[in-house]
Amino acid sequence: MTEMARLQQRGVRLPRTERRAQLLAAAQRVFAANGYHAAAMDEIAEEAGVSKPVLYQHFPGKLDLYIALLESHVDELVRRVKEALESTTDNKQRVPATVGAFFDFVNGDAGAFRMVFESDLRGEPAVQEAVDRATSASVDAITDTITADAGLDEDKARLLAVGLVGLSQVSARFWLAHHQSMSREEAVALTANLAWRGIGGGFPLQHQES
């Protein structure tokens, strides 16, 4: 049980923002352990150390709670991407920083990245909208940076941004499943090198005929 849950059992009243964070953290653990369909609001309330009425004061239903949790994960990913873009003015360094943001997100809370990239509730419009925002907001941030720094028009910049986001998140998820043979740093460097230089420039043929 978390410290906030213990405080609740002792009768300590938490501010609304802290209570909401506590409930989301408990929901994350329950959803990660059981999946959405098997998770129950009773179990989430018990995990958080609160009564069901307290849980329902903040979230009217299980789907509302799931969407709020998903939105928080999307916000975290977009924040990481924006911080990576703002971490340097050297575009060559921005690429590995941005790729690294996706790797760090995927390598963090496994339940978080699975909710964003592998949600089984995409048939729900609100869930699909949140999932789409994970990509669109990241693409928007990268597009703005490329447009400002590289002198490309928006359409070309957006195409490059989509490519970088797709490459980064798919590579990060693959690495997570097979990373025992490769460090995070090496995986990020390989992916960033491909994105920065392209296959032809970054990986020339090693055995060309003379």
Side-chain angles (χ1 to χ4, degrees):
M1 184 178 294
T2 66
E3 179 62 23
M4 284 193 288
R6 285 192 287 270
L7 289 174
Q8 168 65 16
Q9 287 189 337
R10 295 172 190 167
V12 177
R13 185 178 181 86
L14 294 177
R16 183 173 182 82
T17 55
E18 290 185 24
R19 174 68 71 218
R20 182 180 175 87
Q22 174 201 17
L23 297 175
L24 289 173
Q28 177 65 65
R29 294 191 293 271
V30 174
F31 284 136
N34 302 333
Y36 175 81
H37 295 291
M41 293 292 272
D42 302 69
E43 187 176 3
I44 294 170
E46 181 178 355
E47 177 67 22
V50 303
S51 65
K52 280 182 68 178
V54 169
L55 179 58
Y56 280 111
Q57 283 175 7
H58 292 264
F59 303 101
K62 185 168 69 169
L63 181 59
D64 301 278
L65 179 52
Y66 181 89
I67 291 171
L69 186 58
L70 174 59
E71 290 280 6
S72 72
H73 293 328
V74 171
D75 289 342
E76 172 66 13
L77 172 60
V78 175
R79 181 189 64 78
R80 286 176 181 267
V81 170
K82 289 181 176 179
E83 286 183 352
L85 292 168
E86 295 169 359
S87 65
T88 177
T89 57
D90 183 344
N91 283 335
K92 190 173 183 179
Q93 296 304 315
R94 274 181 173 146
V95 172
T98 303
V99 171
F102 283 90
F103 273 75
D104 290 341
F105 178 74
V106 166
N107 196 38
D109 186 336
F113 97 81
R114 290 197 173 96
M115 284 184 72
V116 174
F117 295 125
E118 301 172 3
S119 175
D120 58 355
L121 291 180
R122 294 196 178 197
E124 289 287 342
V127 172
Q128 184 63 57
E129 181 178 350
V131 169
D132 289 345
R133 186 169 68 84
T135 297
S136 64
S138 298
V139 167
D140 287 345
I142 297 170
T143 298
D144 290 343
T145 300
I146 294 174
T147 302
D149 291 354
L152 293 178
D153 63 50
E154 184 175 349
D155 287 343
K156 292 178 182 177
R158 187 168 297 278
L159 179 60
L160 292 177
V162 169
L164 180 58
V165 169
L167 174 66
S168 298
Q169 66 101 341
V170 172
S171 297
R173 289 162 60 195
F174 178 85
W175 169 77
L176 185 67
H178 304 87
H179 75 288
Q180 294 86 351
S181 63
M182 187 183 308
S183 69
R184 178 263 186 201
E185 290 72 22
E186 184 178 6
V188 169
L190 284 169
T191 305
N193 191 46
L194 174 60
W196 177 252
R197 301 178 64 185
I199 292 176
F203 303 95
L205 292 175
Q206 298 300 302
H207 304 287
Q208 299 187 46
E209 294 182 2
S210 57

